[in-house]
């Protein structure tokens, strides 16, 4: 197993999982049928989102690991910086959304 390929694939998969989680969280709060479906899937909408995020991460790691060549140190630094950026962006989006939701902006 190539560690640099695994790091690269894991970082890309984490970015995809973060984007999915942010989108599904906002969407479910704005769409009662989606939130109800998520509740019915596992008993609680957060549990369903977690299950789907983990499955998406595992699938994405496999998809990004196998076709990838061996990334250079520069590529690893770039993708890890992107991961940091998307993590912070996801936190900001969720925080702003729930703050606005609490104050009934939307």
């Amino acid at each position: 197993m190539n560690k640099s390929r695994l790091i690269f694939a894991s970082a890309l998969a984490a970015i995809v999982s973060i984007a999915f989680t942010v989108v599904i969280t906002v969407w479910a709060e704005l769409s009662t049928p989606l939130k109800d479906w998520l509740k019915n899937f596992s008993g609680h909408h957060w549990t369903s989102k977690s299950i789907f995020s983990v499955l998406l991460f595992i699938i994405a790691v496999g998809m990004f690991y196998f076709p990838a060549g061996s990334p250079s140190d520069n590529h690893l630094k770039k993708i890890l910086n992107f991961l940091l950026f998307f993590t912070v962006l996801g936190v900001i989006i969720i925080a702003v959304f729930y703050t606005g939701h609490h104050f009934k902006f939307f």
Side-chain angles (χ1 to χ4, degrees):
M1 180 175 295
N2 186 321
K3 286 184 183 181
S4 60
R5 279 176 44 188
L6 184 58
I7 292 168
F8 192 80
S10 297
L12 282 173
I15 291 168
V16 169
S17 295
I18 289 167
F20 168 78
T21 303
V22 169
V23 169
I24 197 78
T25 298
V26 172
W27 186 11
E29 289 299 320
L30 298 175
S31 171
T32 303
L34 176 60
K35 194 171 191 176
D36 289 342
W37 182 83
L38 289 167
K39 286 178 193 176
N40 291 333
F41 181 78
S42 69
H44 196 277
H45 60 101
W46 276 107
T47 305
S48 296
K49 287 183 237 181
S50 298
I51 291 167
F52 293 138
S53 293
V54 169
L55 291 174
L56 179 62
F57 178 81
I58 292 167
I59 291 166
V61 167
M63 288 176 47
F64 293 127
Y65 181 82
F66 291 108
S70 194
S72 67
D73 287 345
N74 191 36
H75 282 110
L76 288 176
K77 286 180 186 178
K78 283 182 183 180
I79 197 64
L80 291 175
N81 283 330
F82 277 126
L83 176 56
L84 178 61
F85 172 77
F86 275 94
T87 302
V88 172
L89 182 63
V91 168
I92 290 169
I93 290 170
I94 294 290
V96 168
F97 173 75
Y98 276 115
T99 301
H101 196 63
H102 173 75
F103 290 112
K104 310 273 192 261
F105 294 141
F106 38 82

